[in-house]
Amino acid sequence: MIAVLIATFTILGYMGVEIYRSAPPVPAAVVSSDQRLNFAAADILAGQSHWQSIGGMQVGSIWGHGAYQAPDWTADWLHRELVNWLDLAAQQQYSASYHTLDPVKQAGLRELLKQEYRSNRLDAQGTLTLTPRRAQAVQQTAAYYQALFSDAPALKKTRVAYAMKDNTLPAAEARQKMAYFFFWTAWAAATERAEGTVTYTNNWPHEPLIDNQPSSENMLWSLGSIVFLLAGIGLLILGWSILRKEDDVPPVAGKLDPISSFSLTPSQQALGKYLFIVVALLVFQVFIGGFTAHYTVEGQEFYGVDVSQWFPYSLTRTWHIQSALFWIATGFLAAGLFLAPIINGGKDPAYQKLGVNSLFVALLIVVVGSFLGQYSAIANLMPAAFNFWFGHQGYEYIDLGRFWQIALFIGLLLWLGLMLRCMIPALKAKDSDKNLLALLTASVIAIGLFYGTGLFYGEHSNLSVMEYWRWWVVHLWVEGIFEVFATAALAYIFMSLGLVSRTVATTASLASASLFMVGGIPGTFHHLYFSGTTTPVMAIGASFSALEVVPLLVLSHEAWHHWHLHKRAAWLENLRWPLCCFAAVAFWNMLGAGVFGFLINPPISLYYIQGLNTTAVHAHAALFGVYGFLAIGFTLLVLRYIRPHAIFNENLMRTGFWTLNIGLLLMIFTSLLPIGIMQFQASFTHGLWYARSEAFMQQPLLQTLRWVRTFGDVVFIVGALAIASQVALSLFGKPAKSR
């Protein structure tokens, strides 16, 4: 595993340097030969800050990353500017509008358009010179955006379709500079690199007007990724049979729960409030998620009540995503803090309870402070100079202001310290085999430290550089490190319960973690195919992300295995529902992360569907299906031990578990996936701009499909309320005698 980590992080780091070198440049100045247009890099970067202040990726998307309701501003700007250029050219050459010309004349203008837009006119001094016609097209496009982000009555209907509040960005100067930022993202998407025949974004988005089509490298590495997938499955079967051993004779679970032989320590007794926060944030997240989903059908209203001026889509979606990350992380932290004294021989180090309580207060401050900061930023109550630090960074999943991001990192370091105080003495103890504990310790250290990679970019970092580090957090920290921690923690729990031997727990954990990491670490690049990176990034991302899918496809075996663990002994019946959650994790890992993950992994696939609802399918199935059920399973497991006399209500638990699973399936298969498939067809036929446009998204059938999602949302909310009720009753209800 150490060899795997050294090799894969070397690849990730080396290509990270390449991203710094090859990121699309921000022109020092953008001018037109007739002086009609003149702005500088500082204006583009200021526009980036204004975009961040309104929610950034929570209002539409840039380069395909962000929210799905409003357009992708890169694709939308590019298409609008191209259409404006064609109309100007038609008027100047033929004194007629473009759409009235015969096909031959239209084809001639399109060829001129392609030559002008795909040519790289950035000189050695960093000055980008535009033709007068293009400068006029830019100004016309900017005027549209000026009106769209204001409260102009003419575009009220469009704002409703995009779920944007009126006066999204009140200051005219701020809107102008934000338009310059959108122009730059579109310029990078249309302009070929000096050394090649593809644009800075590898010809993304699909835009037939200038022949933005998949490159040959895109096709090559898409086919290669399928070959890697098939080869990986074959190697997995071989490796799994060699590395993943089963006990010749399965361990016989004792008559009593081994973990119950330890007396609860003061720090473990203090974990109840963590579990309450987990379910409180879960309930908040699912309600605010349903509220946000409703904006996709009414735009600015909630069943006729205009609430967008106070709680716009960009804010509620921010809170929906942030609360999910907070409660899932809290569940993992609580599981670690519960395990730590067990690892330490059933005792707390000095002041461990004080540390647990201090960490809880710190987490509350971060949650409340970041939410208030995001509200203030999007409501335009916060001065622009303070937004990045205390308001809204504008980047999906890392939306909280930099101050709160640093505070959360400090909290994770505190958690790391609390964990290591218990784990280091255990590592020093005389024991023949500490490999599993070493793996668990390494994952704990990684959880504490890897979140800090999100601090490696600044407010005005190049978008490509920011995306590189953002995915270190979203992909590596959440999808990678948490996966290894969960694998090792579950193995340690099962070993402690007497369900597997130490040898099998250790071997299985090392094999699983190695397989996850060998594809997962370089596979980070599959998020960056079209984010201003070069072909080698695409090649590595496509190849390794295919391998990342391989171990996930066999996790149905794990689901079946976990599902039946509770039958090993009578006392294991008390742990049935946590074990059921772990079984659900394996199922959703296979379907959500594996099947739906590979759906969007090959470059040719992602080329057409990046930023469409197909991405939301993977996000919902993987984030909640895997990490959500993991956090719920950990929460129920810890709850079982810190409230040993509480009796789980079977009706509540059965309702909660099954409606969460059924609700998630309904959301995906009755709404998100059908919409995504229809969008893919539109993107393939007309271009990405059309798949996200008002004209396409407001069709009656798509509106109906978004209404249909309400059924899945309601079922899902019922499940969350049932689980939360059980946790609250166990924590605060009158103790009952155990059966």
Side-chain angles (χ1 to χ4, degrees), residues 10 49 94 109 146 238 338 350 428 549 581:
T10 298
S49 295
Y94 303 109
L109 290 181
Q146 284 260 18
L238 175 64
F338 177 78
K428 291 180 178 178
V549 172
C581 287

Side-chain angles (χ1 to χ4, degrees), residues 59-120:
V59 185
S61 58
I62 292 287
W63 289 351
H65 295 298
Y68 313 109
Q69 183 62 13
D72 179 89
W73 303 118
T74 302
D76 189 69
W77 175 290
L78 179 59
H79 186 75
R80 289 180 184 280
E81 186 185 329
L82 296 177
V83 170
N84 287 335
W85 189 98
L86 287 171
D87 279 335
L88 288 169
Q91 288 291 343
Q92 291 167 6
Q93 293 193 24
Y94 303 109
S95 300
S97 60
Y98 172 77
H99 73 275
T100 63
L101 299 179
D102 63 71
V104 174
K105 291 178 180 178
Q106 287 183 341
L109 290 181
R110 286 199 304 272
E111 182 60 30
L112 293 174
L113 177 79
K114 176 184 172 182
Q115 291 178 10
E116 177 156 345
Y117 274 78
R118 293 185 69 90
S119 299
N120 196 327

Side-chain angles (χ1 to χ4, degrees), residues 559 562-563 578-590 625-626 629 657 661:
H562 291 163
W563 186 263
L579 293 174
C580 286
C581 287
F582 300 143
V585 168
F587 168 78
W588 283 106
N589 237 329
M590 180 272 297
V626 178
F629 271 115
F657 177 77
N661 280 281

Side-chain angles (χ1 to χ4, degrees), residues 709-733:
R709 179 177 166 175
T710 304
F711 295 107
D713 286 349
V714 170
V715 172
F716 194 81
I717 289 170
V718 169
L721 288 173
I723 294 291
S725 299
Q726 180 61 75
V727 173
L729 287 171
S730 299
L731 289 173
F732 306 117

Side-chain angles (χ1 to χ4, degrees), residues 232-245 507 511-512 515:
I233 292 173
L235 291 173
L236 173 71
I237 295 171
L238 175 64
W240 205 258
S241 62
I242 295 172
L243 295 175
R244 186 177 176 87
K245 299 179 181 178
T507 306
S512 300
L515 286 169

Side-chain angles (χ1 to χ4, degrees), residues 478-495:
V478 175
E479 297 183 38
I481 304 304
F482 272 67
E483 186 83 53
V484 175
F485 171 79
T487 300
L490 283 176
Y492 198 93
I493 290 169
F494 291 159
M495 182 191 72

Side-chain angles (χ1 to χ4, degrees), residues 65 467-476 524 527-528:
H65 295 298
E467 286 284 23
Y468 174 68
W469 290 115
R470 184 171 77 93
W471 288 110
W472 271 66
V473 176
V474 181
H475 182 89
L476 277 182
T524 303
H527 298 283
L528 301 173

Side-chain angles (χ1 to χ4, degrees), residues 231-283:
I233 292 173
L235 291 173
L236 173 71
I237 295 171
L238 175 64
W240 205 258
S241 62
I242 295 172
L243 295 175
R244 186 177 176 87
K245 299 179 181 178
E246 298 287 348
D247 293 301
D248 294 332
V249 179
V252 178
K255 294 183 179 180
L256 298 174
D257 184 345
I259 293 181
S260 297
S261 64
F262 295 98
S263 298
L264 284 175
T265 67
S267 71
Q268 289 175 319
Q269 292 173 340
L271 291 175
K273 50 186 170 288
Y274 281 78
L275 308 187
F276 177 74
I277 288 299
V278 168
V279 295
L281 284 173
L282 167 62
V283 171

